[in-house]
Each structure stands twice: as structure tokens, then as C-alpha cells.
């Protein structure tokens, strides 16, 4: 049987650099995954779904719950980096949605330590995506009309 | 011996015990610490070029002074090491980074974790000669977490499935290292932002597993593991009754105590204060 290789599959394979078609569905990743009990789609199912129905994962919770602990990577007999596949999906969804996945609330920042907040920023926020590059955004914001404002700000 | 030392954001963290005793430890071990500027490493490694500016800037700062940098934080260690190997392997990313930072970096600064530094440069047998306060068989479970071990291809600190560096370190201080099944399991790290349940469940599993194996305390090298196991213990106890107060210590705090350093250990910031337990164990 031929596998349906859609454009999305190609894109995810290209972004993550992982050959998802070499997976033999042994399930070692799911067995080792510490978060698999709260995931809606398990890691071995993620790899299979990229092959046959990649659009399902765009709506899944699993890509956000992956903690990037890389247990699956160190145990995979086929050397597939599932964390990279999850990351490719996260980047894709953030750039499509154009909004952050987690909102910074006062409760969150009083609860979590600073390292966690910085990690959350890198993982769930779109500000690190190439299209939201700070300099590009500044250039977009400071158009010809707004430029005098910037100069005034620099002088004071 | 002179070493470059990167403390990152740890002095501004909730529990500063990981870096607080470092100047005194260095003096006791006869090392001179040269601090490099505390610019943020990013705390979480992503393959995005923009997120790599932070760690590359740290490594560039280190390159100006020397060729090796030592850190005590598992997050910094993991991010800096993965950045090094990415810069080495990916010429396109490297050129983008050097175009932005106006400086070329090719991954030449060697990154050491302080545990690795003790193993490779000082030696655990020599460390046990320097120990002044012997723990006399204190039963401590070494908890590695993810960041010291994985991904193995980039980190190569120890065996990713059965590491022993932490056990050797604890044994050289005179502790009895307790081997327990969850020692390399993930605690949920920053998942508290999306699913507090996952963090509580996994921290509970780790603490219970360590206690069942006979440990009295858990040692860690990661600020996020420490947060999840220590600061979350109140919430864990609300849910599960079979967890008794378990002190969670940083490996630097243990090292400081064994080198007879009494002040500035940061124990007052812990949720479970380990001082009463330590007093009881060390006095008898």
C-alpha cells in the first residue's frame, strides 16, 4: 500500500529533518514517555499520524505537553527524534495562529521560577519565530511617520 | 587553577542554593573563579536561530577570556552544549548567527558541568581527601533528571540510561548513594505553566520511588527539578498522604557542607528546610 504523502507531511519532515517513514511502531517512545498518560495522542501515534493524517496533530494537546525530556529519542531503535517533530508542529501552529499558547498571568509568574518562565517563553510564545524577529518588527513599527518619535526618545 | 564560571540567572531564582556556596567551595578546593557576564542562555534549547543568539553570546563572552567554561546549572549546561554542536554541524545557522552578532563563533569553547569538572579535572578520589565533614553513610538518592543526560549525542556526560557520575560524587563525600528506578525520569520541568497536574503526579512518583528505595533525601543539579520536587511538595501532600517531608538538596550544598562551609547555603528558601534533618544526622 502506498502511504499518502501530503504536503503537510513533507513540510513536517523537512522542518524536523526526521525520516518518519522508518518508524516500526515498537512503542518504546510511549512506554518511556513520562507525560504520555496526560497526552491525547501518544508519541508513537504522533509518528504514525505524520505519515497518514498529519493535520490531526495541529489541533492536539500532545505537541504542547511534550516536555522535551528526550527519553523517546534516547530509546528509539530507529533514531527518530520525536521532540523535533513536536517542535516543528509547535512552530507551525504558532505561526498560523499568530498568538501565544500560554498567557503570562501574575499567578503564573509568582508560582514558577525564572528559568521556567524563560523556557515557557521560548516554547509557547511566537516572539522567537523568524517572522516576529524583533528588528523586523521594529522596522515595521517605526515607519516614516513614526521615525521622529524614535529620534526624540533617543535624545531624552 | 583558574576557571571561567557562568552562573546565569540562578542568583535571581527562587532557590539560589545552587550558586550561592560556589565562591566558598572554590576557595576550599583551591580554584579561582572568574565570572563571565550573566547574560541569559535561554533556558530551553530550540532549533530556532533567534533563540540561539543568547547562548552564543554567553559563549562569545567566555571566548574573550578563556577556552573552557564551567556552570553548575543543568539547564545552562544543556543549552550551551547543544548550541555548540548545532553551530559546529549547521553552517547555515552559524552564518546567520555570526551575521547578527557581528562575530563568528564555531563552537570552540568547551562547556563543563561542575560535576563533570570535578570528575575530569579534580578527581573524585582527590575530592574525598579534601572532605572535612564526613556524612557517614547518609542515604541520599541522586536524581539526574533529563538535562544532564539527554540528548546523548550532544551531551556525552555519562551513560544516558544508567549514569553513575552523581553516585560517585555522593560516595566521595561519604554518603550512601541510593539507586532508584526514577533517577533519570523527567519531573515535568516547566510544564507547570500548562499542566500543574502532570508536574504534581511526576514529582510524587519520583519522591515515592526514592523513599521506597530507602533514601532520606534527594540530591539534584537542576533548578527546575528542585522547584518541582521541593516547592511543589505542599501540593503533592494535599493529594497524597504517603509522602513524608523529604529534603531536596542541590549537589553544591552537599559539597559545601562536607567542606565545612556553614554560612550562605540558601536553605531558608527551601519549602522543606533540610537543616533540622541535617543537624540530627550529623550530630549523632
Amino acid at each position: 500500500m502506498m502511504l499518502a504523502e501530503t504536503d503537510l507531511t513533507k513540510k513536517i519532515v523537512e522542518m524536523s529533518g526526521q525520516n518518519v517513514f522508518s518508524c516500526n511502531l515498537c512503542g518504546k517512545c510511549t512506554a518511556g514517555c513520562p507525560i504520555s498518560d496526560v497526552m491525547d495522542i501518544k508519541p508513537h501515534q504522533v509518528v504514525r499520524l505524520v505519515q497518514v493524517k498529519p493535520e490531526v496533530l495541529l489541533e492536539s494537546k500532545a505537541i504542547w505537553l511534550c516536555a522535551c525530556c528526550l527519553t523517546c529519542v534516547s530509546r528509539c531503535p530507529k533514531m527518530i527524534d520525536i521532540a523535533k517533530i513536536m517542535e516543528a508542529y509547535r512552530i507551525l501552529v504558532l505561526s498560523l495562529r499568530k498568538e501565544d499558547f500560554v498567557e503570562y498571568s501574575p499567578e503564573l509568574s509568582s508560582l514558577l521560577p525564572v528559568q521556567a518562565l524563560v523556557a515557557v517563553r521560548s516554547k509557547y510564545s511566537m516572539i522567537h519565530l523568524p517572522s516576529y524577529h524583533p528588528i523586523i518588527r521594529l522596522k515595521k513599527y517605526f515607519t516614516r511617520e513614526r521615525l521622529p518619535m524614535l529620534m526624540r526618545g533617543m535624545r531624552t | 587553577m583558574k576557571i571561567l564560571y557562568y552562573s546565569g540567572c540562578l542568583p535571581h531564582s527562587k532557590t539560589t542554593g545552587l550558586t550561592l556556596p560556589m565562591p566558598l567551595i572554590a576557595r576550599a578546593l583551591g580554584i579561582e573563579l572568574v565570572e563571565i557576564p550573566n547574560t541569559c542562555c535561554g533556558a530551553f534549547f530550540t532549533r530556532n536561530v533567534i533563540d540561539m543568539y543568547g547562548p552564543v553570546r554567553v559563549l562569545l563572552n567566555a571566548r574573550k577570556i578563556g577556552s573552557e567554561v564551567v556552570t553548575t546549572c543543568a539547564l545552562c549546561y544543556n543549552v550551551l552544549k547543544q548550541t555548540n554542536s548545532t553551530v559546529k554541524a549547521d553552517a547555515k545557522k552559524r552564518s546567520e548567527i555570526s551575521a547578527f552578532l557581528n562575530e563568528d563563533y564555531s563552537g570552540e569553547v568547551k562547556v563543563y558541568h561542575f560535576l563533570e569538572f570535578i570528575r575530569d579535572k579534580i578527581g573524585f578520589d582527590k575530592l574525598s581527601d579534601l572532605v572535612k565533614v564526613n556524612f557517614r553513610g547518609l542515604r541520599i538518592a541522586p536524581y539526574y533528571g533529563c538535562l544532564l543526560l539527554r540528548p546523548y549525542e550532544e551531551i556525552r556526560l555519562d551513560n544516558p540510561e544508567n549514569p553513575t557520575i552523581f553516585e560517585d560524587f555522593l560516595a566521595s563525600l561519604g554518603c550512601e548513594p541510593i539507586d532508584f528506578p526514577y533517577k533519570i525520569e523527567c519531573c515535568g520541568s516547566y510544564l507547570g505553566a500548562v499542566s500543574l497536574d502532570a508536574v504534581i503526579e511526576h514529582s510524587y512518583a519520583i519522591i515515592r520511588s526514592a523513599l521506597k528505595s530507602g533514601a532520606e533525601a534527594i540530591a539534584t543539579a537542576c533548578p527546575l527539578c528542585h522547584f518541582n520536587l521541593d516547592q511543589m511538595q505542599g501540593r503533592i501532600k494535599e493529594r497524597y498522604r504517603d509522602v513524608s517531608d523529604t529534603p531536596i538538596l542541590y549537589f553544591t550544598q552537599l559539597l559545601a557542607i562536607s567542606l565545612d562551609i556553614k554560612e550562605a547555603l540558601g536553605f531558608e528558601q527551601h519549602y522543606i528546610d533540610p537543616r533540622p534533618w541535617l543537624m540530627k544526622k550529623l550530630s549523632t
Side-chain angles (χ1 to χ4, degrees):
Chain A
M1 195 192 84
M2 271 286 285
L3 290 168
E5 212 182 323
T6 60
D7 289 345
L8 189 54
T9 305
K10 269 187 198 157
K11 183 145 182 91
I12 293 297
V13 169
E14 188 205 321
M15 282 170 83
S16 62
Q18 303 303 309
N19 181 12
V20 288
F21 296 100
S22 70
C23 173
N24 52 15
L25 287 173
C26 66
K28 268 183 135 179
C29 43
T30 303
C33 179
I35 318 290
S36 66
D37 54 337
V38 286
M39 277 182 176
D40 50 349
I41 299 171
K42 315 289 180 209
H44 72 285
Q45 294 172 322
V46 168
V47 183
R48 180 65 180 150
L49 281 169
V50 177
Q51 297 171 8
V52 291
K53 242 184 177 180
E55 66 280 1
V56 178
L57 285 159
L58 294 174
E59 300 292 316
S60 74
K61 274 198 305 191
I63 56 170
W64 307 104
L65 284 169
C66 168
C68 290
C69 73
L70 308 182
T71 311
C72 50
V73 183
S74 72
R75 291 181 187 171
C76 180
K78 291 284 185 176
M79 317 284 262
I80 300 173
D81 195 330
I82 300 175
K84 278 188 187 165
I85 298 173
M86 302 277 201
E87 194 184 356
Y89 267 107
R90 280 197 299 269
I91 292 170
L92 204 64
V93 173
L94 285 173
S95 54
L96 288 174
R97 257 200 225 156
K98 295 191 168 52
E99 60 182 56
D100 291 1
F101 184 73
V102 175
E103 291 231 339
Y104 278 103
S105 58
E107 297 88 64
L108 199 68
S109 36
S110 65
L111 173 75
L112 295 178
V114 55
Q115 293 86 9
L117 292 171
V118 178
V120 164
R121 196 275 317 170
S122 311
K123 191 179 168 189
Y124 299 118
S125 162
M126 52 164 195
I127 56 159
H128 64 296
L129 297 177
S131 52
Y132 286 85
H133 193 291
I135 289 183
I136 297 171
R137 274 162 77 204
L138 275 177
K139 276 185 185 159
K140 273 187 191 156
Y141 180 73
F142 287 110
T143 48
R144 199 166 284 275
E145 299 83 68
R146 280 175 176 154
L147 210 62
M149 200 169 88
L150 178 72
M151 305 307 278
R152 263 205 309 280
M154 278 171 142
R155 245 178 265 134
T156 49
Chain B
M1 202 179 343
K2 203 163 122 179
I3 60 170
L4 292 189
Y5 169 60
Y6 173 63
S7 60
C9 55
L10 283 168
H12 314 289
S13 185
K14 282 204 162 141
T15 47
T16 53
L18 193 49
T19 48
L20 213 53
M22 270 307 279
L24 294 169
I25 289 174
R27 195 190 297 163
L29 294 176
I31 307 168
E32 192 194 335
L33 288 188
V34 181
E35 283 222 35
I36 61 168
N38 287 346
T39 51
C40 181
C41 71
F44 174 76
F45 182 77
T46 67
R47 280 99 189 161
N48 272 310
V49 176
I50 289 170
D51 276 353
M52 254 175 253
Y53 296 153
V56 169
R57 192 168 284 139
V58 171
L59 292 162
L60 280 171
N61 284 336
R63 196 178 65 177
K64 280 175 197 149
I65 321 175
S67 60
E68 288 170 350
V69 62
V70 177
T71 174
T72 48
C73 173
L75 286 147
C76 301
Y77 176 67
N78 190 288
V79 170
L80 295 181
K81 230 164 171 183
Q82 286 205 60
T83 305
N84 258 347
S85 60
T86 311
V87 169
K88 269 182 203 159
D90 199 328
K92 190 170 163 267
K93 278 183 183 163
R94 184 184 150 188
S95 65
E96 279 178 53
I97 291 166
S98 52
F100 185 82
L101 296 174
N102 283 334
E103 222 172 327
D104 191 42
Y105 179 68
S106 54
E108 60 266 32
V109 176
K110 204 165 175 340
V111 182
Y112 281 98
H113 191 263
F114 193 54
L115 275 177
E116 191 185 16
F117 179 81
I118 296 173
R119 183 188 66 184
D120 296 350
K121 296 285 172 92
I122 299 175
F124 287 132
D125 43 343
K126 196 158 170 251
L127 181 68
S128 57
D129 297 338
L130 293 167
V131 165
K132 288 179 192 138
V133 180
N134 197 305
F135 283 118
R136 286 173 298 181
L138 211 61
R139 296 156 73 81
I140 295 182
Y143 174 59
Y144 290 83
C146 330
L147 296 160
L148 283 181
L149 304 168
R150 297 183 289 264
Y152 175 66
E153 285 303 315
E154 278 92 353
I155 303 293
R156 289 184 182 274
L157 175 68
D158 209 343
N159 186 320
E161 291 293 321
N162 190 21
T164 53
I165 179 168
F166 221 141
E167 274 96 335
D168 297 341
F169 168 76
L170 290 177
S172 71
L173 300 185
C175 303
E176 187 191 332
I178 304 289
D179 191 24
F180 71 113
Y182 279 73
K183 72 174 179 182
I184 62 161
E185 203 83 0
C186 176
C187 66
S189 57
Y190 45 82
L191 276 188
V194 272
S195 168
L196 215 51
D197 264 11
V199 168
I200 293 171
E201 291 295 325
H202 292 109
S203 307
Y204 165 67
I206 291 160
I207 296 173
R208 190 189 54 177
S209 159
L211 291 177
K212 269 193 175 172
S213 307
E216 294 168 57
I218 299 173
T220 172
C222 171
L224 286 182
C225 298
H226 190 277
F227 172 80
N228 287 341
L229 297 182
D230 181 64
Q231 309 278 335
M232 284 299 186
Q233 245 181 71
R235 294 186 194 228
I236 295 169
K237 261 184 256 154
E238 274 171 27
R239 202 177 288 189
Y240 299 102
R241 295 296 163 94
D242 58 337
V243 170
S244 54
D245 283 1
T246 315
I248 317 289
L249 296 107
Y250 285 120
F251 75 100
T252 47
Q253 290 172 326
L254 285 168
L255 181 57
I257 294 166
S258 68
L259 293 171
D260 205 17
I261 296 163
K262 290 195 177 68
E263 71 270 39
L265 294 174
F267 283 143
E268 63 283 352
Q269 298 152 342
H270 290 209
Y271 181 80
I272 305 291
D273 194 337
R275 279 174 291 189
W277 169 76
L278 275 170
M279 291 278 266
K280 203 172 90 192
K281 287 291 164 183
L282 293 177
S283 58
T284 50

